[in-house]
Amino acid sequence: MESISVGLLGLGTVGSGVVKVIQDHQDKLAHQIGCPVYVKKALVLDVNKERNLDLESGILTANPYDVIQDPEIDIVVEVMGGIESTKEYLVEALKQKKHIVTANKDLMAVHGPELLALASENQCDLFYEASVAGGIPILRSLVDGLSSDRITKMMGIVNGTTNYILTKMSKQGLSFDDVLAEAQRLGFAEADPSSDVDGIDAARKMAILSTLGFSMNVGLGDVKVSGIRQVAEEDLRYCDQLGYTMKLIGYAHRQGEKIEVSVEPTLLENSHPLSAVNDEYNAVYVYGEAVGETMFYGPGAGSLPTATAVVSDLVAIMKNMRLGVNGKSAVIPQFPKKLKDHSEIISKYFLRLHVEDEVGVLANITSIFSKHGVGFEKIMQNPVHEQRLAEVVLVTHQASLEAYENTLVELRDLGPIREVKSSYRVEGGK
Ligand code: NAP
Ligand code: HSE
């Protein structure tokens, strides 16, 4: 091969980083793959937009077919986002025998199996390392580094935007809206940041991680999701008082043949290694039966960190091209997917209630918990001034989700309980 030419679909935060990494690390890349690599075309929405990049003239185009049907382009890098029309471009590119790199978890969580099958059919590679946890090489670690082990648990902070928001709200008392605007300015947030704050982005990433880690076909619909919009300043204050840190945690657990996968704001004991992961940083804790505990940490979003993952995928494809083994590395799930039911999901929970400040209420609450076999390890009560209410905050012992949900239903029906203000999962130790 004299050179390898790459076509970009998208030249925004990640695409610009890809151009910079290819330009700045040209020597290293050429040494690894044995020839120079260059960007031949880049699809953008607005070809006249000011871009802080050193680009040759004629590279930008607003026509996707200039990239995906260019016979000289070997590899298409999709960093534009979107699902359905983007999928059509990638299908066409694969039919044109182009290898693909994508950073698009939205696309891979929905159409991943279909696109991977089409890639194999066309003897093409399709790699997507940057789609989960930005610059952390977690997918390759699961597929290659831990391939001999049986993974039973993954816990991840896999969304940089929400971690940035929760960190700044807890540590600096900043408002949700102000911090979200800052995360958007820094390029961490998605074009529509509701997928970050509502947990959807993290859920897509957990679907991808669980599919690879558990070797089951896990889709977005299998992930129980809630985001961080409802997290109140009071919740963060109680977390602090009780020795917890609030994080949006992706949780994937296998027990026997069954799995659970969720994304939800979770109180972590301050001793948990994930509680120290701050700002836009991501981390994925992986437990394997043989290896034990491992943890992968790094920047989960941003231009250059994400671009390093994209360009590593490019290198992997280029090495496969040299060896003539493209299209052979797609990982096909081995096991049928079986989800746990709510009686099999076990956790501790934090609950904050507003109740009438009258005699006997606490006793009523305790008896409802005991009726459902849910004990608690911490309980406190504070007056809510000016409303003649009391705020009751408690943390349960381990209980099944089913028992906890039944407890909540009965608590909501109890007259003196004015409002269930918040309820979160609690993860202790490791
Ligand atoms: P971005 O900054 O909004 O850039 C999107 C790029 O695609 C822009 O260059 C835009 O053109 C172009 N584009 C968008 N829609 C287009 C269309 N319909 N036709 C032609 N061009 C189009 O997005 P990003 O942050 O780089 O994210 C790109 C992808 O990477 C997404 O899938 C995202 O989820 C994923 N990702 C992002 C990060 C991160 O930290 N940002 C990390 C990991 C993964 P213009 O430049 O003309 O607007
Ligand atoms: N919006 C995503 C995040 C980008 O904040 O993590 C990286 O996937």
Side-chain angles (χ1 to χ4, degrees):
M1 295 179 295
E2 280 178 18
S3 66
I4 288 182
S5 63
V6 172
L8 296 179
L9 299 177
L11 191 58
T13 304
V14 182
S16 307
V18 170
V19 169
K20 286 183 189 146
V21 172
I22 289 177
Q23 288 173 345
D24 294 353
H25 300 183
Q26 187 58 233
D27 283 354
K28 182 170 185 194
L29 295 175
H31 176 72
Q32 289 188 82
I33 60 176
C35 65
V37 47
Y38 72 101
V39 175
K40 179 153 192 268
K41 281 272 174 218
L43 173 73
V44 292
L45 273 176
D46 177 2
V47 289
N48 297 314
K49 194 195 256 183
E50 187 79 22
R51 293 173 202 272
N52 186 19
L53 286 170
D54 181 12
L55 293 173
E56 281 178 28
S57 65
I59 282 189
L60 298 185
T61 176
N63 179 358
Y65 296 95
D66 286 349
V67 179
I68 55 189
Q69 290 182 340
D70 182 330
E72 288 177 11
I73 287 179
D74 305 292
I75 306 173
V76 169
V77 172
E78 187 277 299
V79 281
M80 61 185 266
I83 302 184
E84 296 308 330
S85 55
T86 311
K87 177 194 160 199
E88 292 316 312
Y89 297 158
L90 297 194
V91 166
E92 176 59 20
L94 288 169
K95 287 183 179 160
Q96 300 285 327
K97 309 284 180 199
K98 304 203 183 303
H99 308 291
I100 307 281
V101 176
T102 177
N104 190 334
K105 56 268 164 174
D106 309 18
L107 177 71
M108 289 308 291
V110 179
H111 295 301
E114 189 188 335
L115 287 168
L116 287 163
L118 186 65
S120 294
E121 244 172 66
N122 286 282
Q123 289 83 50
C124 289
D125 285 330
L126 192 174
F127 291 145
Y128 49 103
E129 181 63 69
S131 67
V132 180
I136 307 174
I138 183 64
L139 301 190
R140 215 157 261 128
S141 301
L142 288 177
V143 170
D144 293 334
L146 295 171
S147 59
S148 61
D149 206 356
R150 186 179 151 85
I151 290 162
T152 53
K153 185 169 170 180
M154 291 177 283
M155 278 175 75
I157 294 175
V158 289
N159 181 269
T161 303
T162 45
N163 204 36
Y164 190 78
I165 294 173
L166 289 174
T167 305
K168 298 291 180 201
M169 284 175 72
S170 331
K171 294 196 186 297
Q172 294 173 18
L174 300 179
S175 80
F176 177 94
D177 290 338
D178 287 351
V179 194
L180 174 58
E182 181 66 2
Q184 287 177 291
R185 196 186 62 73
L186 292 167
F188 308 147
E190 297 301 304
D192 173 5
S194 56
S195 69
D196 292 298
V197 297
D198 294 331
I200 309 297
D201 175 81
R204 288 174 171 140
K205 292 166 176 169
M206 290 309 294
I208 295 171
L209 281 179
S210 309
T211 297
L212 294 177
F214 299 147
S215 201
M216 292 180 191
N217 220 335
V218 181
L220 183 60
D222 302 316
V223 186
K224 174 177 170 263
V225 194
S226 57
I228 64 161
R229 275 186 210 273
Q230 82 288 3
V231 173
E233 202 186 299
E234 292 84 346
D235 296 324
L236 296 173
R237 193 159 32 79
Y238 281 116
C239 269
D240 196 40
Q241 277 178 30
L242 294 165
Y244 297 112
T245 305
M246 169 91 72
K247 296 287 179 191
L248 184 71
I249 293 293
Y251 187 87
H253 187 233
R254 162 156 61 185
Q255 224 166 359
E257 295 183 334
K258 289 193 171 179
I259 62 163
E260 64 172 290
V261 188
S262 62
V263 167
E264 54 193 310
T266 301
L267 274 59
L268 293 177
E269 280 185 12
N270 285 340
S271 57
H272 196 288
L274 287 174
S275 73
V277 176
N278 289 321
D279 298 320
E280 76 278 20
Y281 278 81
N282 281 194
V284 184
Y285 166 93
V286 180
Y287 187 88
E289 282 177 355
V291 72
E293 294 172 337
T294 59
M295 188 148 133
F296 302 82
Y297 171 82
S303 181
L304 291 175
T306 310
T308 58
V310 171
V311 179
S312 304
D313 278 349
L314 279 177
V315 171
I317 292 175
M318 296 185 276
K319 286 180 174 170
N320 284 350
M321 286 166 78
R322 216 173 46 189
L323 297 170
V325 293
N326 298 101
K328 301 199 188 316
S329 39
V331 184
I332 313 292
Q334 185 185 355
F335 304 110
K337 174 184 64 198
K338 288 188 190 160
L339 298 175
K340 290 188 201 176
D341 63 41
H342 286 196
S343 66
E344 297 165 307
I345 294 176
I346 308 295
S347 185
K348 295 181 186 182
Y349 297 93
F350 165 99
L351 186 62
R352 182 163 68 89
L353 305 167
H354 276 186
V355 304
E356 305 280 350
D357 195 1
E358 58 192 39
V359 175
V361 178
L362 217 47
N364 288 337
I365 293 173
T366 354
S367 76
I368 292 175
F369 272 86
S370 354
K371 179 178 156 194
H372 293 283
V374 182
F376 32 81
E377 61 176 43
K378 291 176 187 165
I379 182 159
M380 60 204 245
Q381 180 176 337
N382 290 314
V384 179
H385 295 295
E386 293 154 19
Q387 292 181 52
R388 299 182 51 225
L389 293 175
E391 184 156 66
V392 174
V393 172
L394 57 87
V395 177
T396 71
H397 284 303
Q398 299 265 14
S400 73
L401 180 56
E402 183 182 49
Y404 180 67
E405 284 173 338
N406 290 337
T407 309
L408 279 184
V409 167
E410 211 164 319
L411 284 174
R412 285 196 167 99
D413 281 349
L414 188 71
I417 293 195
R418 284 281 191 86
E419 197 179 348
V420 173
K421 297 296 285 186
S422 49
S423 166
Y424 301 109
R425 188 171 180 142
V426 176
E427 282 296 317
K430 286 177 186 168

